[in-house]
Amino acid sequence: MSAPTLWRDLRRFTAARVALGRVGNGLPTAAHLDFQEAHAQARDAVWSTLDVPALQAALGAQVVASAAPDRRTYLLRPDLGRRLAEGASFTPRPGCFAIVVADGLCATGVQAQAPALVASLTTGLQRAGWDVAPPVIATQARVAIGDAIGQALGAAMVAVLIGERPGLSALDSMGIYLTHAPRPGRTDAERNCISNIRPGGLSLAEAVAKLLWLVAAARGLGATGVALKDEQPALPLIEDQPGGR
Amino acid sequence: MGFSAVVGGTRHIFADLRQLLACATPFRSGDALAGLAAESAAQRVAAQRALADLPLRHFLQEAVVPYEADEVTRLILDSHDAAAFAPVAHLTVGGFRDWLLAADPAAVTALAPGLTPEMVAALSKICRLQDLVAIGAKCRVVTRFRNTLGLPGTLSIRLQPNDPVDDPKGIAAQVLDGLLLGAGDAVIGVNPATDNVENLCRVLGLLDAVRDRYAIPTQSCVLAHVTTTLLAMQRGAPVDLVFQSIGGTQGVNESFGVSLALLAEAHEAALSLKRGTLGDNCMYFETGQGSALSAEAHHGVDQQTLEARAYAVARRFRPLLVNSVVGFIGPEYLFDGKQITRAGLEDHMCGKLLGLPMGVDVCYTNHAEADQDDMDALLTLLGVAGVTYVMGVPGADDTMLAYQSTSFHDGLFVRAALGKSPAPEFAAWLQRMGLAGRTPDRLPMAVAGLL
């Protein structure tokens, strides 16, 4: 590919909204309305819900709810999204690796990607000698709900796969939070995060490889979080990301 | 010690300074979440009246977070400058507001080392938006690294070329787009998708190469955790600015994995690199209302007072840049455009009064009740208030952090609407490149090897 010479050529290199044009100091009408359309879709995505039966069929998982009874309460009360609803019970499995699949702020990406990621992750963990507990699906859930679930299972570590806040360009992004020795009260500084897992972002294979590296390093260190630096050699870059829009 | 005021024939009693400050705070969802918000409009205005009558000196006697338990409180009280405080030492909070509205910029600016975060937070609670704007506009804060930020009549932009996988070409294309649209004088600053030291060194190298290649009078930063940046400095990476997110209590800083001692270590390491050509302000901090509650380290103090306390942490390290990421944290702390707008102006005024080069990330997430109209209003208000810098993101859409900030076009708009210029060194560079006031269809620089 020849080096670009025109402003609009920049679009070949990024999915970001570059080279939109300029009318006076403002956006041309088409670019302005493209933005409005994307925002409208993202707003609708926040209110999307997880298709729990479909996910359960794919994962064979236990389903639990957070203490947030509905979406609006979930948005205003993150403390409730971190806690389990009354009555949730688990069969303890001391020393296991727990996997939680949570809707978070947008269910779309989790719905699409969690089954394949859980399968690949489970295989990798078992190969590394882990006893992997059956996954748990959590609805109206925040990341820290994994602490309560992990503690109830007696898990050595928990990975929470959770829908990330929808952006204008990505309605389907998932993150993974890894926490060693989970229990309520863990802070975000005690977790490691892998974000932007989606088509066009971090691939499932890259995410699983990175997570398995973090799990091994965390087992050696006996901790996750800022004490565990992600010093994994950088993965080879994918040339020419699908850019333009 | 308690406080009280009569409103509508009812005496409202407030048990301590924390409760008085919290009840006096204009409504926001985060204080309601914490159970600290006033129970009625009458109780709120009673708190505001009682607060207005409180002598500023009181804030030197009653700490909202215990001195023994919190290093931020110790920093605030131990570093208080009584001489700088003297011109307003006899005033109440209400009298202080009146004094500020009537004072000239030099007198307001000189107060900074004598003011505590709790004093300016209290002030903000009895200010309307126009007071927040007018007082903020009187503060002069100038900082330097490779250019001069904060001069009157200037408004700078952080060029924020975030990429979902830190792809070098994706970052470079966004940097070029921003430069073509006049952004980048505050800093060219990337939020890394992954906090990995190898990745950090790679992106730092890329940004430094771009800056050097086009001889841009600005600074670069990769906004990794301070411990990762320390590792990068040990590996000889080109670190201009050390970044860290900070908060207003020892507990929230612990939740971010930092302490004053760690920040001091990083500050010393960055100073020793001597990479600044015009000055040695080499720290960059981000803050935001709600972070302490989010970390469950709020000590029963309202989120705006805690936000102001984060500025005490920032000013200890003479930063080049500080910004509140006002709309990023979400609707549980700032529910809608109205709450985000007020918080952005509060944060700007409080930071400026405390002597900080205050910018604001005028932004919102898709789960907040806000849109571009709210951002236009806040951006324009902040421009009038003399904000040091705002963000510049291609098309206002950050594809990595999945939120909307101000665009490069927004920066052009607010500068033009208010007659503001970029930092002078950067404005001269734009002129030399043929980019002042226009964006040519043909790239004015060679990009072979970069793209």
Side-chain angles (χ1 to χ4, degrees):
Chain A
M1 193 154 53
S2 60
T5 55
L6 300 176
W7 185 18
R8 63 175 173 269
D9 293 340
L10 298 181
R11 289 181 210 154
R12 300 206 309 253
F13 302 94
T14 176
R17 293 171 195 261
V18 297
L20 297 179
R22 174 172 173 177
V23 284
N25 292 313
L27 278 181
T29 300
H32 158 60
L33 291 177
D34 286 348
F35 181 101
Q36 296 299 97
E37 179 182 323
H39 183 234
Q41 289 181 321
R43 291 288 294 153
D44 289 345
V46 169
W47 295 84
S48 68
T49 53
L50 210 55
D51 181 349
V52 172
L55 202 56
Q56 199 175 9
L59 291 171
Q62 180 180 356
V63 181
V64 297
S66 81
D70 56 51
R71 201 63 174 164
R72 185 184 165 85
T73 309
Y74 173 80
L75 290 175
L76 280 167
R77 293 287 306 272
D79 55 324
L80 298 181
R82 294 180 192 122
R83 296 211 302 264
L84 286 164
E86 296 282 325
S89 72
F90 300 86
T91 309
R93 196 157 168 152
C96 73
F97 192 100
I99 299 173
V100 176
V101 178
D103 48 3
L105 283 165
C106 177
T108 320
V110 172
Q111 191 85 48
Q113 299 185 93
L117 196 143
V118 168
S120 168
L121 177 62
T122 302
T123 305
L125 288 168
Q126 285 170 342
R127 216 172 270 157
W130 282 96
D131 170 36
V132 183
V136 177
I137 297 170
T139 59
Q140 307 291 15
R142 303 264 173 183
V143 170
I145 203 164
D147 296 342
I149 295 170
Q151 185 182 49
L153 285 168
M157 284 188 218
V158 61
V160 179
L161 285 53
I162 190 164
E164 296 187 328
R165 197 180 55 237
L168 298 196
S169 307
L171 303 175
D172 53 358
S173 194
M174 184 170 73
I176 305 179
Y177 290 79
L178 179 68
T179 309
H180 180 270
R183 60 167 187 267
R186 288 283 184 207
T187 71
D188 288 345
E190 296 173 295
R191 309 184 202 285
N192 292 87
C193 172
I194 301 170
S195 62
N196 276 294
I197 304 164
R198 63 183 174 88
L202 196 68
S203 71
L204 289 182
E206 289 170 312
V208 169
K210 195 171 268 296
L211 185 63
L212 290 173
W213 186 90
L214 285 169
V215 169
R219 182 148 65 171
L221 189 66
T224 45
V226 293
L228 169 57
K229 278 291 158 204
D230 179 4
E231 287 178 306
Q232 185 197 23
L235 296 157
L237 284 161
I238 302 150
E239 285 300 314
D240 299 323
Q241 294 290 325
R245 52 182 60 251
Chain B
M1 168 174 176
F3 308 90
S4 69
V6 176
V7 166
T10 302
R11 176 163 295 277
H12 295 266
I13 313 250
F14 306 95
D16 59 16
L17 186 56
R18 291 180 309 171
Q19 195 198 3
L20 182 66
L21 286 164
C23 288
T25 307
F27 180 78
R28 61 207 63 198
S29 51
D31 289 339
L33 177 63
L36 298 172
E39 287 164 6
S40 66
Q43 189 195 24
R44 178 170 295 111
V45 78
Q48 289 171 342
R49 284 195 176 280
L51 190 59
D53 289 340
L54 190 67
L56 287 179
R57 284 185 189 284
H58 184 87
F59 293 94
L60 302 174
Q61 291 148 19
E62 183 179 355
V64 294
V65 180
Y67 182 93
E68 299 72 23
D70 189 279
E71 66 174 2
V72 178
T73 301
R74 292 195 290 276
L75 172 68
I76 291 165
L77 293 175
D78 295 350
S79 63
H80 182 252
D81 182 337
F85 181 55
V88 294
H90 61 292
L91 296 173
T92 60
V93 173
F96 182 43
R97 175 182 170 279
D98 296 342
W99 187 95
L100 287 166
L101 288 170
D104 65 55
V108 174
T109 301
L111 290 178
L115 300 178
T116 68
E118 291 84 354
M119 291 176 193
V120 299
L123 163 75
S124 77
K125 297 177 194 303
I126 58 164
C127 284
R128 289 168 51 192
L129 293 194
Q130 67 168 255
D131 306 331
L132 299 173
V133 169
I135 295 168
K138 293 187 186 205
C139 303
R140 300 274 178 267
V141 182
V142 176
T143 56
R144 294 180 178 85
F145 192 77
R146 281 196 200 92
N147 57 21
T148 311
L149 302 174
L151 293 172
T154 66
L155 193 157
S156 296
I157 313 286
R158 167 185 161 193
L159 202 170
Q160 182 172 307
N162 294 342
D163 184 275
V165 292
D166 295 328
D167 171 45
K169 291 185 179 183
I171 292 170
Q174 295 182 73
V175 171
L176 290 169
D177 195 59
L179 294 171
L180 292 172
L181 291 165
D185 51 339
V187 63
I188 301 176
V190 174
N191 296 87
T194 306
D195 203 309
N196 169 311
V197 68
E198 279 201 15
N199 184 48
L200 173 59
C201 291
R202 195 169 55 89
V203 180
L204 281 166
L206 166 71
L207 295 181
D208 198 55
V210 172
R211 182 192 61 75
D212 187 59
R213 177 172 182 169
Y214 304 126
I216 311 166
T218 191
Q219 35 282 330
S220 64
C221 186
V222 180
L223 287 73
H225 191 267
V226 65
T227 51
T228 315
T229 302
L230 272 165
L231 287 176
M233 285 192 277
Q234 284 162 17
R235 293 190 184 191
V239 172
D240 286 347
L241 307 181
V242 171
F243 169 83
Q244 183 55 46
S245 292
I246 56 170
T249 68
Q250 183 175 330
V252 65
N253 286 325
E254 281 167 3
S255 86
F256 288 143
V258 300
S259 64
L260 294 176
L262 179 61
L263 294 173
E265 180 190 344
H267 186 214
E268 289 304 317
L271 280 173
S272 72
L273 299 180
K274 296 190 187 336
R275 291 177 57 83
T277 50
L278 295 187
D280 68 351
N281 300 114
C282 58
M283 299 296 280
Y284 175 12
F285 295 112
E286 282 190 341
T287 65
Q289 293 188 26
S291 62
L293 176 59
S294 176
E296 294 178 16
H298 64 91
H299 294 268
V301 180
D302 71 89
Q303 66 184 34
Q304 189 267 330
T305 300
L306 291 177
E307 170 71 6
R309 282 169 55 97
Y311 306 152
V313 175
R315 72 173 169 181
R316 159 77 180 75
F317 302 103
R318 303 187 297 110
L320 182 78
L321 302 164
V322 181
N323 63 263
S324 158
V325 192
V326 68
F328 187 75
I329 192 161
E332 62 270 35
Y333 302 97
L334 296 167
F335 185 68
D336 56 14
K338 180 179 172 72
Q339 292 180 16
I340 292 170
T341 298
R342 185 174 167 95
L345 292 165
E346 289 167 347
D347 294 351
H348 175 259
M349 182 196 77
C350 289
K352 281 281 173 72
L353 279 171
L354 294 172
L356 292 177
M358 201 69 197
V360 176
D361 189 345
V362 175
C363 64
Y364 64 108
T365 58
N366 287 318
H367 60 318
E369 291 294 324
D371 61 20
Q372 292 300 93
D373 289 345
D374 298 301
M375 299 301 105
D376 289 344
L378 177 54
L379 173 64
T380 306
L381 286 164
L382 282 165
V384 178
V387 70
T388 303
Y389 65 101
V390 294
M391 306 296 140
V393 176
D397 172 12
D398 188 313
T399 58
M400 197 280 279
L401 292 173
Y403 79 123
Q404 287 84 256
S405 182
T406 42
S407 68
F408 302 136
H409 294 78
D410 291 333
L412 295 173
F413 154 76
V414 72
R415 281 175 178 160
L418 300 173
K420 304 266 189 181
S421 310
E425 301 85 355
F426 192 84
W429 180 84
L430 289 173
Q431 195 78 45
R432 284 201 299 280
M433 297 295 288
L435 294 171
R438 60 186 285 272
T439 304
D441 289 333
R442 188 160 290 278
L443 297 174
M445 63 275 270
V447 299
L450 195 60
L451 292 177

